[in-house]
Amino acid sequence: MLLHDYWRSGASYRVRLALNLKNLVFDQMPHDLRTDAQTDPGYVAINPQELVPALEADGQVLTQSLAIIEWLEEKHPAPALLPADPNSRAVVRAMASLIACDIHPLHNLRVLTALRHEIGASEAQVSGWIAHWIKDGLAALETMIVRHGGIYAFGDTPGLVDCCLVPQLYSAERFTVPLGAFPRVVAAGAAARALPAFAAAHPYRQPDADAR
């Protein structure tokens, strides 16, 4: 398997986590979003949306992080990232989508670039935008973790929600968003980050990461 990614991409981070949790071997092809490497014609032929991640596997190209993770779950069911019963699976998907669809897209690079260059937002306004949407989403997630969480974001086994949560916490910390109002979110994230699979997927552990 070949994963097209970028070290600081939250969506790519999710897929790395899922691959690691399933103990799958994969190669990486980085694309630096800051230099528009994802718009190179060779990559556009692979992923016409010009986004990362994309996973080449079984002779096909898979895109969109949640779709990739669901494919991995079906193709390599053990260890499972989703619970067995339909009701719990629906809750897990909702929690993951809350992060991947309602929080993360509002502060990814292309949105922030548009705010700065197309709308003319100041850096203070951009920071306020980021903090607003991260805190708004994490407030809802906090309630859901209180209801459904255990050691991890859902129950006592790391899974799909944690694959989404940990990259989101990395973004929150990167943008210096206060997290004191979300103790269960922070605790679940800390439990997941302590696992080797999560440590190996951290952005600064990737081959294309900037020097610290």
Side-chain angles (χ1 to χ4, degrees):
M1 289 187 285
L2 176 63
L3 178 65
H4 296 267
D5 69 354
Y6 167 57
W7 68 280
R8 209 159 57 185
S9 159
S12 297
Y13 194 172
R14 291 176 207 136
V15 175
R16 293 196 301 267
L17 287 168
L19 288 163
N20 288 351
L21 283 170
K22 289 185 174 293
N23 300 306
L24 296 171
V25 176
F26 61 99
D27 294 318
Q28 291 170 263
M29 177 66 70
H31 303 270
D32 193 333
L33 306 187
R34 297 168 297 185
T35 62
D36 293 327
Q38 77 281 6
T39 65
D40 180 85
Y43 184 64
V44 175
I46 294 170
N47 184 0
Q49 198 177 7
E50 302 179 5
L51 296 173
V52 292
L55 183 70
E56 294 189 65
D58 287 3
Q60 63 179 333
V61 177
L62 306 165
T63 61
Q64 291 293 335
S65 62
L66 292 185
I68 293 170
I69 295 171
E70 291 268 6
W71 180 86
L72 291 170
E73 181 75 352
E74 294 175 4
K75 193 77 173 178
H76 306 276
L81 301 181
L82 285 155
D85 74 280
N87 291 346
S88 294
R89 291 168 79 89
V91 171
V92 165
R93 288 185 171 112
M95 294 172 76
S97 295
L98 188 161
I99 300 167
C101 302
D102 294 333
I103 304 176
H104 172 254
L106 290 169
H107 64 77
N108 68 14
L109 181 59
R110 60 180 180 165
V111 168
L112 300 184
T113 298
L115 288 173
R116 291 182 177 109
H117 300 300
E118 296 179 24
I119 299 175
S122 67
E123 286 306 309
Q125 290 172 318
V126 170
S127 295
W129 168 279
I130 293 168
H132 171 80
W133 292 114
I134 289 179
K135 290 191 288 186
D136 183 76
L138 291 185
L141 187 64
E142 177 79 7
T143 298
M144 297 182 83
I145 293 177
V146 168
R147 292 174 181 169
H148 307 290
I151 297 172
Y152 302 102
F154 185 93
D156 294 326
T157 304
L160 176 60
V161 185
D162 305 287
C163 290
C164 296
L165 173 59
V166 167
Q168 186 56 63
L169 289 174
Y170 168 78
S171 293
E173 292 159 0
R174 176 184 162 210
F175 294 120
T176 63
V177 177
L179 298 174
F182 317 114
R184 290 300 301 275
V185 166
V186 171
R193 283 169 156 173
L195 300 173
F198 283 77
H202 191 279
Y204 279 110
R205 297 282 296 274
Q206 305 316 302
D208 58 322
D210 287 350
R212 299 186 70 171

